[in-house]
Amino acid sequence: MADSGDIRFLLAIRDGGSLLVAARKLGVTPSAVTQRLQQLEKKLSVRLIDRTARRLRLTPEGELLCQRGGDLVQQFDALFDELRHHSAELVGTLKVNAPLGFGRRHLASVVADFQQANPDIDIALTLSDQPLAETIDRFDVVVHIGELQISNLVGHAVAPNARFVCASPAFVKRHGMPASPDDLARLPCIVLRENNEDVSLWHFSRGQTSRSVRVSSKLSCNDGDVIRQWARAGRGVILRSEWDVAEDLAAGKLVRLLPAWKTPDANVVALTHNRAGLPARIRHFTQYLQERFRPSPPWRK
């Protein structure tokens, strides 16, 4: 079967009127043109050009291939021009996936504002407690918080986000303030189940010193809002993102524990399948997302 490249090759011979002219047009040697023509005729099991004449003459089969194939090449070119034009415009459907809590509190308004500013784009926002466990190929952009384990996705930095160990003032009054991460092993803790991570192993660092503590949890949930409510009710210690607990810390509903010890950051990133060749709607949404969280995210204002 001939492909569009074969058809373009034969059209170059027809338009040039000779193998020599076709070779110049294609930027190859005349012998290369002859060899490719022979290969094409062999592949199709048909003679395309009558070489006995003083001037090259297409056989009826050659004429048919040029005529019908030329129409197909024009259709291909028109299709690809339309695709390039479509890709450069802010049109089409944008599929976004994000964590439940962050999506509700910080992303939903950004998505709605972007769509309002770009009315020819349809946006389908999916919120999930395990966004990376979803079928990634279903989405154009995946908003992720924390360390990224998947290497075939491209990360675009959106916003900084620390993680804090917190408890209610009543809990601290009842159990005392822990002096080191090791003290957490004896305290009731609450964990968030997400992305199939080992959620009961908490890591800390202070300078060159590192600690990892296996906490004991009688309460766990896959919804961050729920474990934050439990913590405010005095049911245990939580390790949560700064974006989630900043308001409660400022209002005194939660108290930060072990402020001298740092836990691993969980920065916000937007994941796409590649960096080059992205449709305009994906590129512009990613840039819009970054701009909405600059110069500082809302949880640091």
Coordinates of all heavy atoms in Angstrom, one line a residue, residues 62-114:
G62 N -0.5 4.9 -13.2 CA 0.2 6.0 -12.6 C -0.7 7.3 -12.6 O -0.7 8.0 -11.6
E63 N -1.4 7.5 -13.7 CA -2.3 8.6 -13.8 C -3.4 8.5 -12.7 O -3.7 9.5 -12.1 CB -3.0 8.7 -15.2 CG -2.0 9.1 -16.3 CD -1.8 10.6 -16.3 OE1 -2.3 11.3 -15.4 OE2 -1.1 11.1 -17.3
L64 N -3.9 7.3 -12.5 CA -5.0 7.1 -11.5 C -4.4 7.4 -10.1 O -5.1 8.1 -9.3 CB -5.5 5.7 -11.6 CG -6.6 5.3 -10.6 CD1 -7.8 6.2 -10.8 CD2 -6.9 3.8 -10.7
L65 N -3.2 6.9 -9.8 CA -2.7 7.1 -8.5 C -2.4 8.6 -8.3 O -2.7 9.1 -7.2 CB -1.4 6.3 -8.4 CG -0.7 6.4 -7.0 CD1 -1.6 6.0 -5.9 CD2 0.6 5.6 -7.0
C66 N -1.9 9.3 -9.3 CA -1.6 10.8 -9.2 C -3.0 11.5 -9.0 O -3.0 12.4 -8.1 CB -0.9 11.3 -10.4 SG 0.9 10.9 -10.4
Q67 N -4.0 11.2 -9.8 CA -5.2 11.9 -9.7 C -5.9 11.7 -8.4 O -6.3 12.7 -7.7 CB -6.1 11.5 -10.9 CG -7.5 12.2 -10.9 CD -8.4 11.7 -12.0 OE1 -8.0 11.0 -12.9 NE2 -9.7 12.1 -12.0
R68 N -6.2 10.4 -8.0 CA -6.9 10.1 -6.8 C -6.0 10.4 -5.6 O -6.5 10.9 -4.6 CB -7.4 8.7 -6.8 CG -8.3 8.3 -8.0 CD -9.7 8.8 -7.7 NE -10.3 8.2 -6.5 CZ -10.9 7.0 -6.6 NH1 -11.0 6.4 -7.7 NH2 -11.5 6.5 -5.5
G69 N -4.7 10.0 -5.7 CA -3.8 10.3 -4.6 C -3.6 11.7 -4.4 O -3.4 12.2 -3.2
G70 N -3.6 12.5 -5.5 CA -3.4 14.0 -5.3 C -4.5 14.6 -4.5 O -4.3 15.5 -3.6
D71 N -5.8 14.1 -4.8 CA -6.9 14.6 -4.0 C -6.8 14.3 -2.5 O -7.1 15.1 -1.6 CB -8.2 14.0 -4.5 CG -8.5 14.5 -5.9 OD1 -8.0 15.5 -6.3 OD2 -9.3 13.8 -6.6
L72 N -6.3 13.0 -2.2 CA -6.1 12.6 -0.8 C -5.0 13.4 -0.1 O -5.2 13.8 1.0 CB -5.7 11.1 -0.8 CG -6.8 10.1 -1.2 CD1 -6.3 8.7 -1.2 CD2 -8.0 10.2 -0.3
V73 N -3.9 13.7 -0.9 CA -2.9 14.5 -0.3 C -3.4 15.9 0.1 O -3.1 16.5 1.1 CB -1.7 14.6 -1.2 CG1 -0.7 15.7 -0.8 CG2 -0.9 13.3 -1.3
Q74 N -4.2 16.5 -0.8 CA -4.8 17.8 -0.5 C -5.7 17.8 0.7 O -5.7 18.7 1.5 CB -5.6 18.3 -1.7 CG -4.7 18.7 -2.9 CD -5.5 19.2 -4.1 OE1 -6.7 19.2 -4.1 NE2 -4.8 19.7 -5.1
Q75 N -6.4 16.7 0.8 CA -7.3 16.5 2.0 C -6.5 16.4 3.3 O -6.8 16.9 4.3 CB -8.2 15.3 1.8 CG -9.3 15.5 0.7 CD -10.1 14.2 0.5 OE1 -10.4 13.5 1.4 NE2 -10.5 14.0 -0.7
F76 N -5.4 15.6 3.2 CA -4.5 15.4 4.3 C -3.9 16.8 4.7 O -4.0 17.2 5.9 CB -3.3 14.5 4.0 CG -3.6 13.1 4.3 CD1 -3.6 12.1 3.3 CD2 -3.9 12.6 5.6 CE1 -3.8 10.8 3.5 CE2 -4.1 11.3 5.9 CZ -4.1 10.4 4.8
D77 N -3.5 17.6 3.8 CA -2.9 18.9 4.1 C -3.9 19.8 4.7 O -3.6 20.5 5.6 CB -2.3 19.5 2.8 CG -1.1 18.7 2.3 OD1 -0.5 18.0 3.1 OD2 -0.7 18.9 1.1
A78 N -5.1 19.8 4.1 CA -6.2 20.6 4.7 C -6.5 20.2 6.1 O -6.7 21.1 7.0 CB -7.4 20.6 3.8
L79 N -6.5 18.9 6.4 CA -6.8 18.4 7.7 C -5.8 18.8 8.7 O -6.1 19.3 9.8 CB -6.9 16.9 7.7 CG -7.1 16.2 9.0 CD1 -8.3 16.6 9.8 CD2 -7.1 14.7 8.8
F80 N -4.5 18.7 8.3 CA -3.4 19.0 9.2 C -3.4 20.5 9.5 O -3.0 21.0 10.6 CB -2.1 18.5 8.7 CG -2.0 17.0 8.8 CD1 -1.5 16.3 7.7 CD2 -2.4 16.3 9.9 CE1 -1.4 14.9 7.8 CE2 -2.4 14.9 10.0 CZ -1.8 14.2 8.9
D81 N -3.7 21.3 8.4 CA -3.7 22.8 8.6 C -4.8 23.1 9.6 O -4.7 24.0 10.5 CB -4.0 23.5 7.3 CG -2.8 23.5 6.4 OD1 -1.7 23.3 6.9 OD2 -2.9 23.7 5.1
E82 N -6.0 22.4 9.5 CA -7.1 22.7 10.4 C -6.7 22.3 11.8 O -7.0 23.0 12.8 CB -8.3 21.9 9.9 CG -9.6 22.2 10.8 CD -10.8 21.5 10.3 OE1 -10.8 21.0 9.2 OE2 -11.8 21.4 11.0
L83 N -6.0 21.2 12.0 CA -5.6 20.7 13.3 C -4.6 21.7 13.9 O -4.7 22.0 15.1 CB -4.9 19.3 13.2 CG -5.8 18.1 13.0 CD1 -5.0 16.9 12.8 CD2 -6.8 18.0 14.1
R84 N -3.7 22.2 13.1 CA -2.7 23.2 13.6 C -3.4 24.5 14.1 O -3.1 25.1 15.1 CB -1.7 23.5 12.6 CG -0.6 22.4 12.5 CD 0.6 22.9 11.6 NE 0.2 22.9 10.2 CZ 0.3 21.9 9.3 NH1 0.8 20.8 9.7 NH2 -0.1 22.1 8.1
H85 N -4.4 24.9 13.2 CA -5.2 26.1 13.6 C -6.0 25.9 14.8 O -6.1 26.7 15.7 CB -6.1 26.4 12.4 CG -7.0 27.6 12.6 ND1 -6.5 28.9 12.7 CD2 -8.3 27.8 12.8 CE1 -7.4 29.8 12.9 NE2 -8.6 29.1 13.0
H86 N -6.6 24.7 14.9 CA -7.4 24.3 16.1 C -6.6 24.3 17.3 O -7.0 24.7 18.4 CB -8.1 23.0 15.8 CG -9.1 22.6 16.9 ND1 -8.7 22.0 18.1 CD2 -10.5 22.8 17.0 CE1 -9.8 21.8 18.8 NE2 -10.9 22.2 18.2
S87 N -5.4 23.7 17.2 CA -4.5 23.6 18.4 C -4.0 24.9 18.9 O -3.7 25.1 20.0 CB -3.3 22.7 18.0 OG -2.3 22.7 19.0
A88 N -3.9 25.9 18.0 CA -3.4 27.2 18.3 C -4.5 28.1 18.9 O -4.2 29.2 19.5 CB -2.8 27.9 17.1
E89 N -5.8 27.7 18.8 CA -6.9 28.5 19.3 C -7.4 27.9 20.7 O -7.2 26.8 21.0 CB -8.1 28.5 18.3 CG -7.8 29.3 17.1 CD -9.0 29.6 16.3 OE1 -10.0 29.0 16.5 OE2 -9.0 30.6 15.5
L90 N -8.0 28.8 21.4 CA -8.5 28.4 22.7 C -10.0 27.8 22.6 O -11.0 28.5 22.9 CB -8.5 29.6 23.7 CG -7.2 30.1 24.0 CD1 -7.3 31.4 24.9 CD2 -6.3 29.1 24.7
V91 N -10.0 26.6 22.0 CA -11.3 25.9 21.8 C -11.1 24.5 22.2 O -10.0 24.0 22.5 CB -11.7 26.0 20.3 CG1 -11.9 27.4 19.9 CG2 -10.6 25.3 19.4
G92 N -12.2 23.8 22.3 CA -12.2 22.3 22.6 C -12.5 22.0 24.1 O -13.0 22.9 24.8
T93 N -12.3 20.8 24.4 CA -12.6 20.3 25.8 C -11.3 20.1 26.6 O -10.4 19.6 26.1 CB -13.4 19.0 25.7 OG1 -14.6 19.2 25.0 CG2 -13.7 18.5 27.2
L94 N -11.3 20.6 27.8 CA -10.2 20.5 28.7 C -10.6 19.6 29.9 O -11.6 20.0 30.6 CB -9.8 21.9 29.2 CG -8.6 22.0 30.2 CD1 -7.3 21.5 29.5 CD2 -8.4 23.4 30.7
K95 N -9.9 18.5 30.1 CA -10.3 17.6 31.2 C -9.2 17.7 32.3 O -8.0 17.4 32.1 CB -10.3 16.2 30.7 CG -11.5 15.9 29.7 CD -11.5 14.6 29.0 CE -10.3 14.5 28.0 NZ -10.4 13.2 27.3
V96 N -9.7 18.1 33.5 CA -8.8 18.3 34.6 C -9.2 17.4 35.8 O -10.3 17.2 36.1 CB -8.9 19.8 35.1 CG1 -8.0 20.1 36.2 CG2 -8.6 20.8 33.9
N97 N -8.1 16.9 36.4 CA -8.3 16.0 37.6 C -7.6 16.6 38.8 O -6.4 17.2 38.6 CB -7.8 14.6 37.3 CG -8.3 13.6 38.4 OD1 -9.1 13.9 39.3 ND2 -7.7 12.4 38.4
A98 N -8.1 16.6 40.0 CA -7.5 17.2 41.2 C -8.0 16.5 42.4 O -9.0 15.9 42.5 CB -7.8 18.7 41.2
P99 N -7.2 16.7 43.5 CA -7.6 16.1 44.8 C -8.9 16.8 45.3 O -9.2 18.0 45.0 CB -6.4 16.5 45.8 CG -5.3 16.7 44.9 CD -5.9 17.3 43.6
L100 N -9.7 16.0 46.1 CA -11.0 16.5 46.5 C -10.9 17.8 47.3 O -11.6 18.8 46.9 CB -11.6 15.4 47.5 CG -12.3 14.2 46.8 CD1 -12.6 13.2 47.8 CD2 -13.6 14.7 46.2
G101 N -10.2 17.9 48.4 CA -10.2 19.0 49.2 C -9.7 20.3 48.6 O -10.3 21.3 48.6
F102 N -8.5 20.1 48.0 CA -7.9 21.2 47.3 C -8.7 21.7 46.1 O -8.8 22.9 45.8 CB -6.5 20.8 46.8 CG -5.7 21.9 46.2 CD1 -5.0 22.8 47.0 CD2 -5.7 22.2 44.8 CE1 -4.3 23.9 46.4 CE2 -5.0 23.2 44.3 CZ -4.2 24.1 45.1
G103 N -9.3 20.7 45.4 CA -10.2 21.1 44.3 C -11.4 21.9 44.7 O -11.7 22.9 44.1
R104 N -12.0 21.5 45.8 CA -13.2 22.3 46.3 C -12.8 23.7 46.7 O -13.5 24.6 46.4 CB -13.8 21.5 47.4 CG -14.7 20.3 47.0 CD -15.5 19.9 48.2 NE -14.7 19.4 49.3 CZ -14.5 18.1 49.6 NH1 -15.0 17.2 48.8 NH2 -13.8 17.7 50.6
R105 N -11.7 23.8 47.5 CA -11.4 25.0 48.2 C -10.6 26.0 47.3 O -10.9 27.2 47.4 CB -10.6 24.8 49.5 CG -10.6 26.0 50.4 CD -9.8 25.7 51.7 NE -10.2 24.5 52.4 CZ -9.7 24.1 53.5 NH1 -8.7 24.8 54.1 NH2 -10.1 23.0 54.1
H106 N -9.7 25.5 46.5 CA -8.8 26.4 45.8 C -8.9 26.3 44.3 O -8.5 27.3 43.6 CB -7.4 26.2 46.2 CG -7.1 26.6 47.7 ND1 -7.2 27.9 48.1 CD2 -6.8 25.8 48.7 CE1 -7.0 27.9 49.4 NE2 -6.7 26.6 49.8
L107 N -9.3 25.2 43.7 CA -9.2 25.0 42.3 C -10.6 25.3 41.6 O -10.6 25.8 40.4 CB -8.8 23.6 41.9 CG -8.4 23.3 40.5 CD1 -7.2 24.2 40.0 CD2 -8.1 21.9 40.3
A108 N -11.7 25.0 42.2 CA -13.0 25.2 41.5 C -13.2 26.6 41.0 O -13.6 26.8 39.8 CB -14.1 24.8 42.5
S109 N -12.9 27.6 41.8 CA -13.1 29.0 41.3 C -12.1 29.3 40.2 O -12.5 30.1 39.3 CB -12.9 29.9 42.5 OG -11.5 29.8 43.0
V110 N -10.9 28.8 40.2 CA -9.9 29.0 39.1 C -10.4 28.5 37.8 O -10.4 29.1 36.8 CB -8.6 28.4 39.5 CG1 -7.6 28.6 38.3 CG2 -8.0 29.1 40.8
V111 N -11.0 27.2 37.9 CA -11.5 26.6 36.7 C -12.7 27.4 36.1 O -12.8 27.6 34.9 CB -11.9 25.1 37.0 CG1 -12.7 24.6 35.9 CG2 -10.7 24.3 37.2
A112 N -13.6 27.8 37.0 CA -14.8 28.5 36.5 C -14.4 29.9 35.9 O -14.9 30.3 34.9 CB -15.7 28.7 37.7
D113 N -13.4 30.6 36.5 CA -13.0 31.9 36.0 C -12.3 31.7 34.7 O -12.4 32.5 33.8 CB -12.0 32.5 37.0 CG -12.7 33.0 38.3 OD1 -14.0 33.0 38.3 OD2 -12.0 33.3 39.3
F114 N -11.5 30.6 34.5 CA -10.8 30.4 33.2 C -11.8 30.1 32.1 O -11.7 30.6 31.0 CB -9.8 29.3 33.4 CG -9.0 29.0 32.1 CD1 -7.9 29.7 31.7 CD2 -9.4 27.9 31.3 CE1 -7.2 29.5 30.6 CE2 -8.7 27.6 30.1 CZ -7.6 28.4 29.8

